[in-house]
């Protein structure tokens, strides 16, 4: 029934099957920036000074002059900024405008993640933000692109902070020439980032706090206010793409992607994983080109990077474990968020005093082997990364189509003690399709599209555990050595895993593992026998299996895909 309902809802938005430049309805607006601010955004008057598409070096210099950040001595020239009390996203303060007569109203999965907000409230917020921005002595305008090909979006970002302008120039795809900039015209979508505005009327408006992130799909506008955390900008645009692309038959993915060095016969590998699973680390592979580290689209002919840069966690970044990323943040155009500098101006990457979520952004060109086309052919392999703190999942499994559907929509990983306040033992966490916070539609819509594309292109799917082995994190067992995970990814990329000669499915999770992987101790491939205490393994494995099945049932995912999940809970339910 759910699939039929999705098809009926998509039928209402067939008018969306147009070039992205014609995506939104609305009256034409002059390409003049001043007229755009007035007629399109409601500015009472433009700010006295408008900076448009500044080179990074100029935006950085203005940020330093305005006291927005500090220049590090090491990494040399990096712009170091603090984001204040908000060192991460504020999901409880994010809303999507709900218009009852909109074709999006039936498609969006309204709830705690996609909180609705009434158009009249958005009208008031837009007026307040416009008045705030117009009152500033200067503001910054960035015009660029998101993705390419049939998924391309022209984007305009207005900010009051110079370093946010520099962030946008790193994060989104720059226009290719002065001529392209001159012909930019009206953007397909606009982000207004009023970081200094706080909404004192939030209670009367029924909002959670005095900051807000509002996405107006029909008015093609995002409003961000009261927070300095730049990730809100990046993820707001990603959320918009996650609403637009499925209506055009294009699958948006929260994943990294790499392409083989051989341009004569290129192949692509995608990596989906939640925070801490190694997505950015494993995709920075010296043997492959980086298409992108976080956000991609999959259309009929290609995997395409949506972004122009990378945005990665840098807590405990080291040249030994992550040499490519370490060198990337030492190049020009780097912004470091919430890092600690010593009295010599040297960044202390191991210092989490401000937050565990220290971040770096830089252009993707900072990666030595980046794919200049920003795309690759449909993937030959898709890797689901999981950091299993229970220590019971094998380091690599080959998934059947139904198992791929189950593990994609469930998207399990684990938190461990110390990562969040109050977490004292391994705790299972789930994020639908490896990106629930950014998915406006039901997870089943995205998972169904993925299953169709995997089948159409013959893509093999692997579950790779980068977590603990031989015991749980709580028991002090060691985490999987990064060299093991790299050996597994190398075997996948070079077709050295024999997918036709797998071990029998294990009785708890139903997973099939290879009989051997070059560079990996064969004993490690079977957690049940690798644990020294078999009874302890059984307890932990059954506990995780039951947590997974309980979450799947609670979310009411497609019951047909439940057969791709753990066998233990299924047996327990049958006995009960």
């Amino acid at each position: 029934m759910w699939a039929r309902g999705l098809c009926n809802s998509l039928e209402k938005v067939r008018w969306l099957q147009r070039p992205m430049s014609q995506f939104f309805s609305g009256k034409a607006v002059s390409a003049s920036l001043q007229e755009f601010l007035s007629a399109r955004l409601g500015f009472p008057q433009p700010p006295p000074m408008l900076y448009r598409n500044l080179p990074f070096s100029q935006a950085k210099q203005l940020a330093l002059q305005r006291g927005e950040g500090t220049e590090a001595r090491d990494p040399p020239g990096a712009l170091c900024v603090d984001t204040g009390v908000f060192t991460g996203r504020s999901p409880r303060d994010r809303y999507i405008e709900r218009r009852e007569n909109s074709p999006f109203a039936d498609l969006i999965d309204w709830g705690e993640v996609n909180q609705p907000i009434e158009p009249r409230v958005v009208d008031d917020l837009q007026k307040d933000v416009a008045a705030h921005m117009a009152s500033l002595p200067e503001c910054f305008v960035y015009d660029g692109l998101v993705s390419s090909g049939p998924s391309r979006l022209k984007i305009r970002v207005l900010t009051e902070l110079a370093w946010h302008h520099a962030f946008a120039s790193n994060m989104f795809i720059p226009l290719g020439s002065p001529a392209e900039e001159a012909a930019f015209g009206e953007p397909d979508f606009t982000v207004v980032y009023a970081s200094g505005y706080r909404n004192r009327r939030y209670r009367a408006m029924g909002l959670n706090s005095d900051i807000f992130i509002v996405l107006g799909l029909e008015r093609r506008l995002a409003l961000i206010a009261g927070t300095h955390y730049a990730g809100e900008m990046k993820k707001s645009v990603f959320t918009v793409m996650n609403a637009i692309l499925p209506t055009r038959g294009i699958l948006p993915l929260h994943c990294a992607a790499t392409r083989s060095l051989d341009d004569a016969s290129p192949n692509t590998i995608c990596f989906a994983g939640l925070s801490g699973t190694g997505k950015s680390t494993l995709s920075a592979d010296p043997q492959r080109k980086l298409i992108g580290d976080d956000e991609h689209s999959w259309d009929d002919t290609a995997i395409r990077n949506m972004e122009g840069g990378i945005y990665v966690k840098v807590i405990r970044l080291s040249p030994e474990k992550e040499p490519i990323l370490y060198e990337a943040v030492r190049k020009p155009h780097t912004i470091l968020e919430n890092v600690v500098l010593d009295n010599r101006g040297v960044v202390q990457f191991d210092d989490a005093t401000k937050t565990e979520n220290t971040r770096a952004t830089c252009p993707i060109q900072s990666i030595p082997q980046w794919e200049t086309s920003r795309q690759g052919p449909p993937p030959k392999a898709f890797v689901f990364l999981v950091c299993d703190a229970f220590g019971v999942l094998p380091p690599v499994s080959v998934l059947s189509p139904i198992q791929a559907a189950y593990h994609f929509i469930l998207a399990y990983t684990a938190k461990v003690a110390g990562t969040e306040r109050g977490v004292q033992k391994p705790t299972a966490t789930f994020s639908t399709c490896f990106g629930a916070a950014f998915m406006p539609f039901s997870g089943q819509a995205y998972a169904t599209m993925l299953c169709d594309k995997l089948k159409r292109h013959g893509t093999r799917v692997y579950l790779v555990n980068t977590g603990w082995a031989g015991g749980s994190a709580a028991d002090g067992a060691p985490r999987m050595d990064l060299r093991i995970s790299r050996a597994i990814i190398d075997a996948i990329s070079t077709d050295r895993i024999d997918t036709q000669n797998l071990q029998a499915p294990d009785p708890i999770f139903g997973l099939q593992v290879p009989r051997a992987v070059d560079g990996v101790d064969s004993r490690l491939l079977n957690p049940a026998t690798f644990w020294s205490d078999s009874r302890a393994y059984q307890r932990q494995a059954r506990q995780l299996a039951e947590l997974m099945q309980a979450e799947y049932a609670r979310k009411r995912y497609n019951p047909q895909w439940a057969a791709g999940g753990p066998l233990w809970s299924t047996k327990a339910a049958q006995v009960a």
Side-chain angles (χ1 to χ4, degrees), residues 334-349:
T334 294
I335 302 174
L336 295 171
E337 295 178 11
N338 302 311
V339 296
V340 175
L341 286 82
D342 67 13
N343 56 12
R344 299 172 299 152
V346 177
V347 173
Q348 306 299 296
F349 286 112

Side-chain angles (χ1 to χ4, degrees), residues 98-423:
R98 181 170 186 168
R99 296 189 178 186
E100 295 302 330
N101 295 324
S102 162
F104 283 110
D106 294 336
L107 286 170
I108 293 174
D109 186 20
W110 302 105
E112 291 183 0
V113 173
N114 300 308
Q115 302 177 98
I117 186 171
E118 296 181 15
R120 62 176 180 81
V121 177
V122 183
D123 290 340
D124 288 343
L125 294 177
Q126 183 175 342
K127 290 177 183 177
D128 291 346
V129 166
H132 171 80
M133 297 293 284
S135 71
L136 299 173
E138 55 191 9
C139 72
F140 304 85
V141 181
Y142 175 79
D143 289 337
L145 304 173
V146 183
S147 198
S148 62
S151 60
R152 192 185 86 155
L153 187 84
K154 293 193 299 180
I155 187 171
R156 173 165 288 164
V157 181
L158 281 79
T159 69
E160 64 176 281
L161 292 178
W163 86 261
H164 279 170
H165 182 75
F167 180 94
S169 71
N170 273 355
M171 207 67 256
F172 303 116
I173 299 173
L175 300 175
S177 65
E180 190 174 4
E181 183 173 326
F184 184 78
E186 184 180 359
D188 299 318
F189 201 88
T190 301
V191 178
V192 183
Y193 202 154
S195 50
Y197 176 73
R198 304 299 281 264
N199 178 24
R200 305 304 178 190
R201 299 182 293 148
Y202 73 90
R203 289 188 179 88
M205 293 180 173
L207 305 183
N208 177 62
S209 78
D210 61 354
I211 78 166
F212 55 84
I213 302 95
V214 173
L215 307 181
L217 296 173
E218 294 80 10
R219 65 180 77 202
R220 52 192 176 122
L221 177 67
L223 303 172
I224 306 173
T227 170
H228 287 205
Y229 182 66
E232 296 287 13
M233 183 196 319
K234 165 186 162 74
K235 291 305 184 185
S236 291
V237 173
F238 185 42
T239 303
V240 169
M241 296 297 280
N242 289 339
I244 295 173
L245 297 185
T247 66
R248 306 184 78 244
I250 301 171
L251 174 64
L253 291 163
H254 185 212
C255 73
T258 65
R259 177 172 167 159
S260 59
L261 296 177
D262 181 9
D263 289 331
S265 181
N267 64 71
T268 302
I269 297 178
C270 291
F271 303 81
L274 302 175
S275 179
T277 59
K279 178 162 58 72
S280 295
T281 299
L282 292 173
S283 61
D285 185 342
Q287 302 304 315
R288 297 181 64 83
K289 296 180 180 180
L290 180 68
I291 298 173
D293 83 311
D294 198 47
E295 298 170 5
H296 292 80
S297 64
W298 187 352
D299 57 43
D300 289 339
T301 61
I303 288 284
R304 303 178 192 273
N305 184 7
M306 293 189 193
E307 301 178 312
I310 62 173
Y311 188 50
V312 295
K313 293 180 75 170
V314 291
I315 191 67
R316 290 175 284 278
L317 182 69
S318 73
E320 294 78 23
K321 291 186 176 180
E322 298 169 287
I324 293 178
L325 294 179
Y326 184 84
E327 288 302 318
V329 304
R330 301 181 66 79
K331 294 182 178 180
H333 296 196
T334 294
I335 302 174
L336 295 171
E337 295 178 11
N338 302 311
V339 296
V340 175
L341 286 82
D342 67 13
N343 56 12
R344 299 172 299 152
V346 177
V347 173
Q348 306 299 296
F349 286 112
D350 291 345
D351 194 329
T353 301
K354 296 177 182 178
T355 178
E356 282 274 338
N357 191 37
T358 56
R359 291 270 176 176
T361 180
C362 54
I364 196 169
Q365 293 93 319
S366 297
I367 299 292
Q369 293 175 173
W370 70 287
E371 174 50 51
T372 57
S373 69
R374 305 181 193 274
Q375 66 183 43
K380 74 168 187 178
F382 210 122
V383 178
F384 298 164
L385 297 170
V386 54
C387 176
D388 175 30
F390 291 83
V392 295
L393 294 181
V396 58
S397 310
V398 180
L399 300 184
S400 68
I402 196 168
Q403 287 176 323
Y406 180 93
H407 286 281
F408 180 73
I409 199 169
L410 189 68
Y412 156 72
T413 195
K415 301 174 184 177
V416 297
T419 57
E420 289 186 12
R421 186 170 56 186
V423 177

